[in-house]
Amino acid sequence: MIHDHDLDEWELWEKYPKYHKWWNKLYLSQVMGYSCGPCGTKIPKTSEYVIRPIYNLAGMGIGAEVKVLEKNDLSSVQPGYFWCEYFEGRHFSTTFEKHNDGWKCIHNWQGWNDKNNLVKFYKWIRSDDVPIFPEKLKSIDVPYLNIEYIENKPIEIHLRPSGNPDGTYHEKWNNYIPIWSDTPKENIETFISQGYTWIDNPFDDWMEDKKKFMIEKRLGYYVW
């Protein structure tokens, strides 16, 4: 039997046609009551906003950036993208499994990145501080949901589980340090001296279709 965690995003899209709207990040933001809108709509106030593709089944946060937009701006967001108020706080990637008595967390990771480069995470740590499962998502009838949060605010969902930061599901490691092509050599030497273990990217074939859209190249992880 093929399980949802074995399927690519496009295969899940084909499997769950009635849930296509949940791949729409603008729709999710509207459902959650955030200040947001598509290209060509007026910015309500001068502030920081996240600009993202409305749909992006390739994942990895490709195309997302934080920008200051001026009030009443109509032209700074390109077609196919949307703007949404920017949230400060901890980033979580949390996977829930559906049970008869509700949704249960099976994986929860806190990630660190920089607002100047949302794609490039530099640390993931397994966390017991599980965000609240949103009431507005409880009716989705799939075995698993992976939800990306800023604090308790969902910003993206996937109709599949997401295990460890490298895509595996074993419980061996609790800390993942992504290593990028421009990670300083002295940082790497520090991880080695502290006894971190190196692991390669386990799914480089899965990354092939995304590399053309990414400036960054992730080489693997130091873990412990």
Side-chain angles (χ1 to χ4, degrees):
M1 176 182 290
I2 298 177
H3 299 282
D4 285 2
H5 55 71
D6 298 317
L7 299 178
D8 289 329
E9 206 74 19
W10 66 266
E11 293 173 305
L12 292 164
W13 173 270
E14 293 183 350
K15 181 175 180 178
Y16 296 117
K18 69 178 181 179
Y19 291 135
H20 282 179
K21 62 186 179 183
W22 293 111
W23 273 276
N24 183 323
K25 296 176 180 64
L26 173 57
Y27 173 78
L28 175 64
S29 296
Q30 291 172 316
V31 167
M32 301 310 300
Y34 306 151
S35 177
C36 59
C39 163
T41 57
K42 283 187 176 182
I43 303 302
K45 65 178 182 178
T46 300
S47 186
E48 286 186 312
Y49 294 88
V50 176
I51 316 301
R52 309 176 73 193
I54 294 174
Y55 285 96
N56 172 23
L57 272 69
M60 298 295 293
I62 294 170
E65 61 177 331
V66 178
K67 294 177 66 175
V68 174
L69 300 180
E70 301 293 327
K71 182 178 180 179
N72 295 327
D73 185 348
L74 288 168
S75 61
S76 292
V77 178
Q78 62 183 323
Y81 283 60
F82 76 104
W83 55 268
C84 182
E85 60 183 302
Y86 175 68
F87 301 123
E88 297 276 3
R90 297 170 297 170
H91 183 114
F92 292 101
S93 178
T94 312
T95 294
F96 297 91
E97 184 176 39
K98 193 165 191 178
H99 293 255
N100 291 334
D101 58 346
W103 290 91
K104 307 295 183 184
C105 175
I106 57 174
H107 291 281
N108 186 48
W109 291 87
Q110 182 179 350
W112 283 261
N113 61 358
D114 188 293
K115 69 167 62 175
N116 295 318
N117 191 336
L118 298 177
V119 173
K120 197 172 182 178
F121 282 83
Y122 57 87
K123 180 168 63 175
W124 289 95
I125 294 180
R126 197 185 301 275
S127 174
D128 293 326
D129 193 3
V130 180
I132 298 170
F133 190 94
E135 187 70 31
K136 294 178 179 178
L137 304 184
K138 286 185 176 179
S139 63
I140 300 177
D141 188 17
V142 295
Y144 303 96
L145 276 180
N146 172 250
I147 305 176
E148 301 283 331
Y149 293 88
I150 302 298
E151 295 298 343
N152 282 299
K153 296 180 175 67
I155 57 171
E156 182 174 340
I157 70 171
H158 303 280
L159 308 186
R160 55 164 172 76
S162 179
N164 302 322
D166 63 348
T168 60
Y169 287 89
H170 60 74
E171 297 291 334
K172 186 174 182 180
W173 312 111
N174 292 312
N175 296 264
Y176 282 76
I177 307 295
I179 301 300
W180 304 86
S181 55
D182 62 352
T183 298
K185 182 178 179 181
E186 56 268 26
N187 290 16
I188 295 174
E189 291 173 347
T190 297
F191 299 137
I192 294 172
S193 68
Q194 292 177 345
Y196 281 69
T197 298
W198 172 260
I199 58 173
D200 293 321
N201 285 317
F203 302 116
D204 273 343
D205 56 337
W206 176 79
M207 289 290 296
E208 281 302 319
D209 60 339
K210 302 169 179 56
K211 286 180 179 178
K212 67 181 73 173
F213 304 113
M214 297 181 67
I215 299 172
E216 298 78 7
K217 182 179 180 181
R218 193 181 64 208
L219 305 178
Y221 300 85
Y222 276 106
V223 296
W224 64 275

